[in-house]
Amino acid sequence: MGCYEREQQAIAAGTGQRGDAARAYFAEVDAQTSEEASCLTHRPDYTRTLFAPEHDDIYREFCRYIDLPEPRFFDAVENPMSIEGWTAPQIYHTMIASNPRIVALDGGAIYSMLVRLRTQPELAKKVLDFHPTCYQNGCGNTYRPNGEC
């Protein structure tokens, strides 16, 4: 039995609420984050997005990701779902490779992007296609993953 099933049992028993498995995961991630880095992070309220009943399929996959042994890898989730042609591993690799300023992405950010692909596909695709300007010399050119401006 995974965390999703345990959460559903707790909800049925009246001792839990939707999103408890994710909140426990976030607490675990936040506990491993340095104090300096935690000042720079922001955890959104996923109640209306990732935890919403209409996105139960995405939340279930997120819970399967949470159930993976550490270190967790998005590629290790079997049969990943695809929304607008994107899977969680593809989103992770795209976001981490296209912006060298990002040093870490947790599961909430990745699976939230799947929700965004479902609800606002045009916006999500713009985010996934984002490449920051060159931060090395302020030339205004777009940074590319191969390190060239």
Side-chain angles (χ1 to χ4, degrees), residues 7 11 24 32 40 57 59-60 68 77 80 85 106 114:
E7 179 180 291
I11 292 169
Q32 296 172 3
L40 303 172
D57 54 344
Y59 185 62
R60 282 179 185 247
L68 293 172
V77 175
D106 67 38
L114 279 174

Side-chain angles (χ1 to χ4, degrees), residues 53-135:
E54 61 267 24
H55 305 299
D56 189 61
D57 54 344
I58 297 171
Y59 185 62
R60 282 179 185 247
E61 184 172 315
F62 177 49
C63 287
R64 289 194 347 241
Y65 168 77
I66 293 170
D67 287 334
L68 293 172
E70 287 196 47
R72 294 177 182 97
F73 297 100
F74 295 99
D75 297 349
V77 175
E78 293 182 17
N79 302 317
M81 65 185 323
S82 175
I83 298 178
E84 294 286 325
W86 289 87
T87 63
Q90 291 170 325
I91 291 169
Y92 173 78
H93 292 297
T94 298
M95 290 178 79
I96 209 80
S98 64
N99 190 343
R101 298 174 191 170
I102 296 175
V103 294
L105 289 168
D106 67 38
I110 301 305
Y111 285 98
S112 180
M113 183 57 74
L114 279 174
V115 171
R116 186 76 60 211
L117 278 164
R118 177 177 284 163
T119 60
Q120 296 175 305
E122 298 82 21
L123 176 64
K125 289 175 184 177
K126 284 182 181 179
V127 170
L128 290 168
D129 193 40
F130 173 76
H131 294 281
T133 57
C134 179
Y135 65 93

Side-chain angles (χ1 to χ4, degrees), residues 4 28 47 140:
Y4 180 83
E28 174 187 317
T47 305

